[in-house]
Amino acid sequence: MQPEVQSVIGTLSPIAVACFLIFVAITLGITYWAAKQTKTASQFYAAGGGITGFQNGLALAGDYMSAASFLGIAGLVSTKGYDGLIYSVGWLVGWPIVMFLISEPLRNLGKYTFSDVVAFRLQHRPIKAAAALGSLITVIFYLIAQMVGAGTLIKLMFNLPYELALVLVGTLMICYVLFGGMLATTWVQIIKACLLLGGATLLVFLAMSKLGFSYPALFDKAASLYDTPSQGFLAPGGLVTSPIEAFSLGLALMFGTAGLPHILMRFFTVPDAKQARKSVFVATGFIGYFYILTVTIGFSAAVLCGTDTMTGRDFIMSIDKGGNMAALALAENIGGGLFLGFLAAVAFATILAVVAGLTLSGASALSHDLYVGVFRHGVSSEKEEMKVAKGATVCLGIVAVLLALAFKGQNVAFMVGLAFVVAASANFPALVMSIMWKRFTTAGAIASIYTGLILAVVLIAFSPTVYEEVFQGTASKAVVAAKARVDVVEKIAKDPAKALAGLQPKVDKLRIKVANPALAPDKLKEAQKELKTAEGDIQMITSNAVAAGVDAAKAKKAEADLGLKKAPYKMKNPGVYSMGGAFLMGILVSLFKREEEAEIKFEAEKVRTYIGIGAEGAASH
């Protein structure tokens, strides 16, 4: 433990701004260079297939190591312990699936998007329309979550207004994609991946040096601080309590990885299938290493960020209730303002690079799949297609900024889950069956895509995450607050004398806090509310009214429960049903009526899948 300190997270850091401006200057220079190389549709969508396996592996890792991974997983581990590992393990084990099932066929059969592969031996127009819809919904939900997260995090890290942060991110991502296409987006990802891996490695090195470079020492300290008789910090059950929920979440994370449009699109940037496999191998290594780092960062933050009056977990949650500032709090704790500024700039760059990749894949779905594949029946000049793709890039960028403004202050965490569930349910089953199953038909593919898409969206809309927390946000917060109050009062009732001894110092500190004229208005309001509650609890104990206080808290909880309509669908992660439904419908509809032409073409598809004859070639840069 260390003396109580005032974190500078949330204030404007000149170091962070300087680091970020250097990153932007370098990446805009790369975009200028890439713009001179990007003349054709192949160069715009796929960098002409001229990226090496190692470079693409780093870019793939960059696409995957988002701010949600860096800040979110470290935060989950620091606040929830063992269960935070579900996200890192789920995302990581998705990569062998990509490597063994998807990468080689995708590179040999496709051109610019994964719908090229699904439609290879099936009827193009209906497949392209369905696949484009699945891709667009995945990209838009993912993009909104990233943009809203960007605005919120930048406000916390740089003290910039939410709206200004969105316009800044939106403008830069449009510039990268519009002028530099896939080549610029790839190099932005590579630079960001190197910065993120380097920064996280240094953070772990400094943190572990304080623990004698001993993982047993780290985990022993975490267990001693947070283990309770009913729940171990290093045991499962802190975040996901239901086994079926854990299974469903794991399915969505694993197979969603193999269905994300911006990940699949990267396999067209390498010259051949061998480089595609190599890129997945490299990416898996870097991503695995990165997730080990995030887990170490999370536990280290919980152990090392504590003060005289707060544990590390409480300190992190006092900055951000979701725990998303755990990595930055640890950086400030062990490296001071300089290291904090550097990592804040890296986190901003991370968001920027990921939204650029998402925008490019969304623009490809609109121009290549919908415009050329559906509206122009596959016949269009390169010049015309490029024009539509660039128009789609600008439109998607503007839509992303407007939607992020509309969702300001909303809980959009469910959108990341929805993006993964849609990718796992709508995209992955149709992609795998089209490659591996001879009897798969056009009708089966359409049934599979729409079933997965509709089931995923509808079940999430009726799940507690959206039906209760989003549609009935006020009532849901009232229930959570009432339940927390019951827990507090029941704890006081067990040992009033001990509770009173802890409350008096708390009140003294809160009085000093609310008297601070430099305190931000929202923090002041929060502290005043906390002070009023603590003073009320002292009065309740000293007037022997604890039993009445327990009854009043329970009555308020019952009243809050009545004001909340329960979600019709109880699970938060519907992947097990939506993905299962997509496979089932694809199989049943395909078995119902044969498509002889598709079966005949399957043999040619198999040869091209394994040998690569006829696959798209590479262009030199």
Side-chain angles (χ1 to χ4, degrees):
M1 296 284 182
Q2 61 179 345
E4 192 158 8
V5 292
Q6 186 68 41
S7 172
V8 299
I9 295 173
T11 58
L12 187 63
S13 162
I15 297 162
V17 173
C19 290
F20 179 70
L21 288 178
I22 291 169
F23 174 82
V24 169
I26 293 171
T27 51
L28 285 178
I30 288 172
T31 305
Y32 178 74
W33 163 75
K36 290 184 175 179
Q37 320 288 319
T38 305
K39 305 293 181 193
T40 65
S42 167
Q43 287 163 343
F44 181 79
Y45 291 127
I51 305 293
T52 68
F54 184 81
Q55 290 167 348
N56 195 46
L58 258 179
L60 272 169
D63 260 325
Y64 217 64
M65 296 184 299
S66 63
S69 303
F70 179 51
L71 302 175
I73 290 179
L76 274 178
V77 172
S78 69
T79 55
K80 303 292 182 184
Y82 177 88
D83 273 8
L85 296 172
I86 291 177
Y87 283 87
S88 55
V89 173
W91 276 325
L92 179 60
V93 297
W95 283 98
I97 295 168
V98 176
M99 182 154 65
F100 292 116
L101 287 182
I102 304 291
S103 64
E104 190 171 349
L106 203 69
R107 180 62 191 86
N108 284 340
L109 296 174
K111 192 175 182 183
Y112 301 140
T113 65
F114 87 95
S115 72
D116 292 334
V117 180
V118 182
F120 186 82
R121 62 188 173 91
L122 305 177
Q123 294 170 32
H124 280 223
R125 286 189 74 197
I127 296 291
K128 289 269 182 183
L133 187 61
S135 293
L136 277 176
I137 288 182
T138 307
V139 166
I140 286 174
F141 280 127
Y142 211 152
L143 207 49
I144 292 172
Q146 290 286 337
M147 292 293 282
V148 173
T152 309
L153 289 174
I154 290 164
K155 187 180 172 187
L156 273 170
M157 292 186 295
F158 293 91
N159 201 24
L160 288 178
Y162 178 86
E163 292 78 6
L164 178 61
L166 287 183
V167 172
L168 185 61
V169 171
T171 306
L172 284 170
M173 81 181 182
I174 289 173
C175 283
Y176 292 150
V177 178
L178 190 63
F179 299 112
M182 180 57 91
L183 187 58
T185 307
T186 299
W187 278 102
V188 169
Q189 286 290 12
I190 290 172
I191 293 172
K192 164 228 148 169
C194 293
L195 286 173
L196 191 55
L197 286 168
T201 300
L202 182 58
L203 183 58
V204 167
F205 179 83
L206 293 174
M208 291 304 291
S209 69
K210 290 183 176 286
L211 296 159
F213 295 100
S214 167
Y215 273 93
L218 170 65
F219 295 134
D220 285 346
K221 197 164 183 183
S224 68
L225 281 171
Y226 301 109
D227 268 3
T228 64
S230 59
Q231 177 62 53
F233 194 63
L234 303 178
L239 181 64
V240 184
T241 52
S242 160
I244 186 76
E245 280 274 10
F247 178 66
S248 192
L249 174 63
L251 272 185
L253 295 179
M254 280 190 289
F255 295 102
T257 304
L260 289 174
H262 66 298
I263 298 288
L264 297 177
M265 196 176 175
R266 288 225 158 268
F267 294 106
F268 306 120
T269 66
V270 291
D272 51 40
K274 182 183 174 185
Q275 293 298 318
R277 285 194 303 273
K278 183 179 176 183
S279 62
V280 182
F281 179 77
V282 171
T284 307
F286 281 123
I287 292 168
Y289 173 65
F290 174 73
Y291 282 130
I292 290 171
L293 295 179
T294 56
V295 170
T296 308
I297 290 168
F299 280 115
S300 300
V303 165
L304 296 174
C305 290
T307 67
D308 285 343
T309 56
M310 281 192 277
T311 62
R313 180 168 63 185
D314 292 339
F315 178 75
I316 291 161
M317 292 178 74
S318 71
I319 301 170
D320 174 65
K321 286 182 181 173
N324 291 315
M325 293 296 112
L328 299 180
L330 181 64
E332 185 183 25
N333 182 285
I334 60 179
L338 180 65
F339 196 31
L340 171 66
F342 170 71
L343 272 193
V346 170
F348 196 174
T350 298
I351 294 168
L352 203 51
V354 170
V355 293
L358 285 167
T359 304
L360 182 58
S361 62
S364 306
L366 279 170
S367 57
H368 181 64
D369 292 341
L370 269 185
Y371 178 75
V372 178
V374 178
F375 298 123
R376 297 299 303 269
H377 299 265
V379 180
S380 172
S381 68
E382 277 210 347
K383 191 177 176 185
E384 190 182 351
E385 188 171 344
M386 283 274 286
K387 201 173 173 183
V388 175
K390 292 192 171 186
T393 301
V394 176
C395 291
L396 261 178
I398 293 171
V399 167
V401 172
L402 292 177
L403 285 174
L405 285 171
F407 279 91
K408 180 184 178 183
Q410 297 291 315
N411 175 9
V412 294
F414 72 94
M415 286 189 179
V416 175
L418 185 54
F420 269 83
V421 173
V422 170
S425 308
N427 301 345
F428 178 73
L431 183 59
V432 168
M433 286 192 283
S434 72
I435 294 169
M436 298 187 170
W437 190 31
K438 187 176 180 180
R439 283 287 304 273
F440 197 49
T441 64
T442 302
I446 293 168
S448 173
I449 292 171
Y450 285 122
T451 301
L453 183 63
I454 293 169
L455 274 179
V457 173
V458 170
L459 289 180
I460 284 200
F462 286 104
S463 72
T465 307
V466 177
Y467 192 83
E468 294 178 10
E469 294 174 19
V470 177
F471 293 162
Q472 307 175 77
T474 307
S476 176
K477 284 177 185 171
V479 170
V480 173
K483 185 177 180 305
R485 179 64 187 158
V486 169
D487 291 342
V488 168
V489 181
E490 283 183 338
K491 190 176 176 185
I492 291 173
K494 283 182 183 173
D495 193 343
K498 185 180 176 184
L500 188 61
L503 279 167
Q504 196 54 59
K506 183 179 178 181
V507 165
D508 294 340
K509 282 180 182 158
L510 284 168
R511 282 176 180 160
I512 294 170
K513 192 173 182 180
V514 297
N516 181 2
L519 199 63
D522 55 336
K523 297 283 182 189
L524 176 63
K525 194 174 174 184
E526 197 177 307
Q528 286 171 333
K529 189 178 175 185
E530 205 176 341
L531 175 61
K532 189 178 176 184
T533 304
E535 287 175 337
D537 286 344
I538 289 176
Q539 189 178 0
M540 179 178 71
I541 296 169
T542 52
S543 59
N544 293 321
V546 176
V550 172
D551 291 340
K554 286 182 176 175
K556 197 165 181 180
K557 166 76 171 45
E559 188 184 340
D561 284 341
L562 287 175
L564 180 71
K565 291 180 185 172
K566 295 293 180 187
Y569 179 69
K570 302 301 175 192
M571 285 178 64
K572 291 184 177 179
N573 303 287
V576 64
Y577 296 114
S578 56
M579 195 176 153
F583 269 113
L584 185 64
M585 286 302 292
I587 292 168
L588 290 179
V589 173
S590 295
L591 290 176
F592 184 72
K593 188 179 179 184
R594 301 183 84 117
E595 189 173 339
E596 289 185 8
E597 191 181 345
E599 290 184 33
I600 293 167
K601 286 181 180 176
F602 183 74
E603 297 305 323
E605 180 186 283
K606 225 166 45 170
V607 171
R608 182 161 163 172
T609 300
Y610 293 134
I611 303 176
I613 296 175
E616 290 290 318
S620 58
H621 294 295

